[in-house]
Amino acid sequence: MRRVFRVRVDTNVNFNTNGLANSLDRITETYARKMANDTAHGAPVDTGKLKNSFPSSVKKEGTAKWSYGSDLPYAVRQEYEHHARKGFIRKAIWDNETAYRDRIQQEVERGV
């Protein structure tokens, strides 16, 4: 069974103005790419396939909705069971969560 592991970065905001939507989309893309790169840096490395699968997987799913992940069948197992590096995906998300939220809040307050 093949599983695709995806992380969705989403502002969860209904947009009334294109300017704000574009700004939030840009910020969300930036943080999705940063989280993907941080995930790659924290990933366990044997052949390098897992590490390389994250940065190249970032994709836009809608306005201010971006995702990244891995299509490798062992990605989820490495995330939860690796003896030294388990939690490398969650850590990348947690490490960027506050900065992302603060940057979104700053942009919304600026645009209001």
Side-chain angles (χ1 to χ4, degrees):
M1 173 191 272
R2 184 176 181 155
R3 293 186 180 206
V4 176
F5 187 88
R6 308 264 340 139
V7 174
R8 191 167 145 216
V9 183
D10 182 344
T11 59
N12 249 351
V13 174
N14 290 325
F15 301 106
N16 295 327
T17 63
N18 276 344
L20 181 59
N22 290 338
S23 294
L24 297 181
D25 186 57
R26 226 176 8 263
I27 293 166
T28 302
E29 176 187 10
T30 299
Y31 276 91
R33 292 189 186 282
K34 184 174 182 338
M35 289 177 201
N37 287 331
D38 290 354
T39 297
H41 288 295
V45 179
D46 183 20
T47 64
K49 285 178 76 174
L50 179 62
K51 179 180 180 172
N52 293 333
S53 70
F54 291 103
S56 63
S57 71
V58 177
K59 74 176 193 176
K60 184 172 185 167
E61 296 191 2
T63 303
K65 294 180 182 180
W66 291 77
S67 67
Y68 76 92
S70 177
D71 61 350
L72 297 174
Y74 52 88
V76 174
R77 186 167 191 168
Q78 293 297 310
E79 166 66 6
Y80 290 99
E81 297 179 15
H82 192 274
H83 67 295
R85 299 265 183 134
K86 76 174 142 188
F88 66 97
I89 298 168
R90 290 170 287 169
K91 182 175 180 345
I93 295 166
W94 293 331
D95 288 350
N96 288 285
E97 180 181 21
T98 301
Y100 172 61
R101 184 177 42 235
D102 291 348
R103 183 67 182 96
I104 291 292
Q105 182 176 358
Q106 178 184 37
E107 191 65 26
V108 169
E109 289 172 356
R110 195 189 82 158
V112 171

